[in-house]
Amino acid sequence: HLTFDPEVDVAAPFINGKARPKIAILREQGVNSHLEMSYAMHSAGFETYDVHMSDLQTGRARLSQFQGFVACGGFSYGDTLGAGEGWARSILFNPALTEQFAAFFQRKDTFALGVCNGCQMMAALSPIIPGAQAWPKFTRNKGEQFEARLSLVEVLPSPSIFFKGMEGSRIPIAVAHGEGFADFSQRGDAKAVHRTMRFVDNAGQPTEVYPFNPNGSPEGLTAVTTVDGRFTALMPHPERVFRNLQMSWTNGAVDEPSPWMRMFHNARRALT
C-alpha cells in the first residue's frame, strides 16, 4: 500500500524559482470533473486554465499555448454519441482541430492525461497520438449499466510519467462510467499495449469478476500509456480521491493528500 510521504512527494523542492507550466483543463459539454482536476493539478505546481472545446474551435485558445492538457471526465454530449466518441469526432471531423491536436502530440515537450470520458476521447484519437496505436476502444460495461463506487486498482510498471515510483501500489480509486470495457476486438492490440493500471480483487489479483472489476475489461485493464509515457489514459478518477478526506477509509490524517496526489506531482517533476 502506497502512503503519502512529504519527503518524497511534495513537488515544491523541485519547482522553487521556476514558473508553473501552463496546462489546459480541457472539457466539452457535459464534462463535470474539471474543477477537481484543476485543483489537483494546481496543487501539484501547474498553472491551470479552463479550456472549453468551443475556445479551441473559435480560436480563443490554442493548444500551442500549453505544455499539457487533461481531458476530464463526465458525460460529453450526454454520452448519446458513444462515451467520448462524439468529443473525439468534434476534433477528427474538423481539419483545423485535427492539425492542432496532431501538432501538440508531435511536440517533444508536451504531455496529456485523459480520465474517464477523456480516456475514451483520447483512445479515439489514438491514430494521431504517437505510440498509442495499440490502445483499445472503450465500450459498454459487460454488466450493461453505469457503475459508480470506489474500486481497488494496482499500478503496473509502465513508462507513464504519472506513475513513476508507484508500481505495485494497490489503492482504492473512484470509478463512474458506463463504457469502460477495453475492447480490443474493435481497436488496438492487447499484446502490444502498454498497460498502466488494472482492477484487482480483495486478494490483490487481477480480475474480470464483478463487482471488483466494474466493467469486465480483460485482465482488469483500466489504464494505458504510450511508449514514451507522455500520454496516458485511465478510466478511474484519481482527481476525486486525491485527498484522504475523499477516501472511504484512511490511516492518514484526513487533511493530508492521499497517495493519488503523487501522480500529479510526478507529472510536475517530469517537466523540471
Side-chain angles (χ1 to χ4, degrees):
H1 180 75
L2 184 71
T3 57
F4 179 82
D5 182 351
E7 294 299 320
V8 174
D9 297 322
V10 172
F14 297 87
I15 62 174
N16 283 342
K18 296 185 178 181
R20 289 172 171 259
K22 295 180 180 180
I23 65 168
I25 306 300
L26 194 61
R27 60 188 177 96
E28 179 55 283
Q29 174 189 359
V31 164
N32 57 25
S33 291
H34 51 292
L35 294 180
E36 298 99 315
M37 183 61 73
S38 181
Y39 187 65
M41 283 293 190
H42 182 271
S43 299
F46 292 96
E47 186 174 350
T48 61
Y49 292 82
D50 178 31
V51 179
H52 194 277
M53 284 299 298
S54 60
D55 295 320
L56 298 179
Q57 291 160 355
T58 60
R60 289 190 297 266
R62 292 188 58 83
L63 288 180
S64 59
Q65 298 172 261
F66 305 103
Q67 198 163 353
F69 77 74
V70 183
C72 297
F75 302 92
S76 64
Y77 296 101
D79 283 355
T80 56
L81 301 177
E85 293 291 322
W87 189 353
R89 288 168 188 162
S90 73
I91 298 166
L92 296 174
F93 292 174
N94 182 321
L97 281 184
T98 300
E99 181 180 355
Q100 188 174 155
F101 273 81
F104 178 90
F105 292 132
Q106 289 290 340
R107 285 166 51 191
K108 300 301 182 183
D109 64 339
T110 58
F111 75 92
L113 176 68
V115 174
C116 195
N117 219 206
C119 169
Q120 298 150 349
M121 180 272 267
M122 283 188 61
L125 294 182
S126 61
I128 65 171
I129 302 176
Q133 285 65 47
W135 289 7
K137 181 177 181 178
F138 290 92
T139 59
R140 189 72 175 162
N141 296 346
K142 284 296 187 181
E144 294 291 331
Q145 63 183 6
F146 178 83
E147 300 288 344
R149 68 169 71 86
L150 282 174
S151 295
L152 187 63
V153 294
E154 179 181 23
V155 179
L156 300 172
S158 80
S160 177
I161 65 170
F162 292 94
F163 297 108
K164 184 177 181 181
M166 298 176 68
E167 303 88 347
S169 302
R170 296 171 186 155
I171 320 171
I173 194 169
V175 297
H177 59 262
E179 298 183 50
F181 178 73
D183 190 346
F184 288 99
S185 71
Q186 297 198 37
R187 184 170 58 224
D189 184 342
K191 295 181 179 179
V193 73
H194 287 274
R195 302 164 184 264
T196 305
M197 190 185 297
R198 64 187 178 187
F199 292 111
V200 294
D201 60 21
N202 59 331
Q205 298 302 307
T207 183
E208 299 173 16
V209 176
Y210 183 88
F212 301 110
N213 180 330
N215 55 56
S217 287
E219 300 179 19
L221 179 65
T222 192
V224 292
T225 193
T226 51
V227 176
D228 62 6
R230 292 188 297 122
F231 307 116
T232 297
L234 63 152
M235 192 54 57
H237 288 270
E239 79 285 359
R240 295 185 182 179
V241 285
F242 75 96
R243 302 170 62 205
N244 282 334
L245 183 65
Q246 297 167 303
M247 291 292 197
S248 60
W249 178 88
T250 179
N251 61 355
V254 294
D255 59 345
E256 292 290 336
S258 82
W260 288 113
M261 190 63 202
R262 181 164 181 174
M263 67 172 284
F264 302 109
H265 287 159
N266 279 342
R268 179 62 187 90
R269 270 192 218 118
L271 301 185
T272 56

